[in-house]
Amino acid sequence: MTADRGQDVIRGSCACGEIAFRPSEPPTMMATCHCGRCRKIGASTFVFVRAETFQWVKGQAEVQRLKAQPPYQYDRCFCRRCGTALGEPGAGASFPINADCLDDDPQVRLRFHEFVAEKPAWRPICDDAVQFAGHPVQAAP
């Protein structure tokens, strides 16, 4: 990790390197979503960052948005050149970023699984994180 004003900076990027971003502080938590949309888009483990800490370093013009269709509320973002799923930047005060886009250790570990009711039978859950059948109503313990 790189030092920035005495803090660890976590960097993130797409596969082709056209897009780079960084939150100025570690994510608040990590979760895995098993809904069909997350699985099909190729990003289901997320770290949540506070919006005011998120910065595009380069390539913001290469970010393409996939408009959400009900029952989903938030647009999904990806690199228009390589297709890397980025998560939901700009979805609110705190939003999920695809954990696989991070170039550094996010300093958090898996806290919960959501939409477990949509999980395919062939994908086992092999950890002790809290499981929710759908979207968690309250933050996981």
Side-chain angles (χ1 to χ4, degrees), residues 29 31-35 111-119 125 129-141:
M29 70 176 150
T32 296
C33 182
H34 298 275
C35 80
R111 188 182 220 177
F112 64 89
H113 294 268
E114 63 181 358
F115 293 99
V116 173
E118 295 183 34
K119 180 186 75 59
I125 293 176
V130 176
Q131 297 181 24
F132 295 94
H135 194 283
V137 176
Q138 300 174 347

Side-chain angles (χ1 to χ4, degrees), residues 92-137:
S94 176
F95 53 81
I97 298 294
N98 178 5
D100 290 325
C101 290
L102 299 178
D103 301 319
D104 301 299
D105 185 340
Q107 304 176 32
V108 293
R109 297 299 179 255
L110 193 64
R111 188 182 220 177
F112 64 89
H113 294 268
E114 63 181 358
F115 293 99
V116 173
E118 295 183 34
K119 180 186 75 59
W122 52 263
R123 176 164 287 174
I125 293 176
C126 301
D127 59 51
D128 295 327
V130 176
Q131 297 181 24
F132 295 94
H135 194 283
V137 176

Side-chain angles (χ1 to χ4, degrees), residues 69-91:
Q69 301 295 318
Y72 305 108
Q73 297 178 344
Y74 302 112
D75 296 348
R76 297 301 296 269
C77 296
F78 59 94
C79 175
R80 75 174 70 235
R81 292 183 186 241
C82 67
T84 298
L86 301 170
E88 299 172 357

Side-chain angles (χ1 to χ4, degrees), residues 2-122:
T2 344
D4 183 53
R5 293 182 304 253
Q7 296 180 358
D8 287 333
V9 173
I10 298 166
R11 298 164 296 143
S13 60
C14 66
C16 70
E18 288 294 318
I19 296 172
F21 61 87
R22 70 178 194 185
S24 61
E25 63 184 39
T28 58
M29 70 176 150
M30 179 185 284
T32 296
C33 182
H34 298 275
C35 80
R37 183 173 80 147
C38 286
R39 287 185 289 109
K40 288 181 180 187
I41 242 168
S44 57
T45 298
F46 295 96
V47 294
F48 291 79
V49 299
R50 293 183 324 121
E52 63 268 14
T53 71
F54 185 83
Q55 302 169 25
W56 294 107
V57 174
K58 70 175 186 171
Q60 187 174 1
E62 298 304 321
V63 176
Q64 180 74 39
R65 290 190 177 274
L66 173 65
K67 292 291 184 191
Q69 301 295 318
Y72 305 108
Q73 297 178 344
Y74 302 112
D75 296 348
R76 297 301 296 269
C77 296
F78 59 94
C79 175
R80 75 174 70 235
R81 292 183 186 241
C82 67
T84 298
L86 301 170
E88 299 172 357
S94 176
F95 53 81
I97 298 294
N98 178 5
D100 290 325
C101 290
L102 299 178
D103 301 319
D104 301 299
D105 185 340
Q107 304 176 32
V108 293
R109 297 299 179 255
L110 193 64
R111 188 182 220 177
F112 64 89
H113 294 268
E114 63 181 358
F115 293 99
V116 173
E118 295 183 34
K119 180 186 75 59
W122 52 263

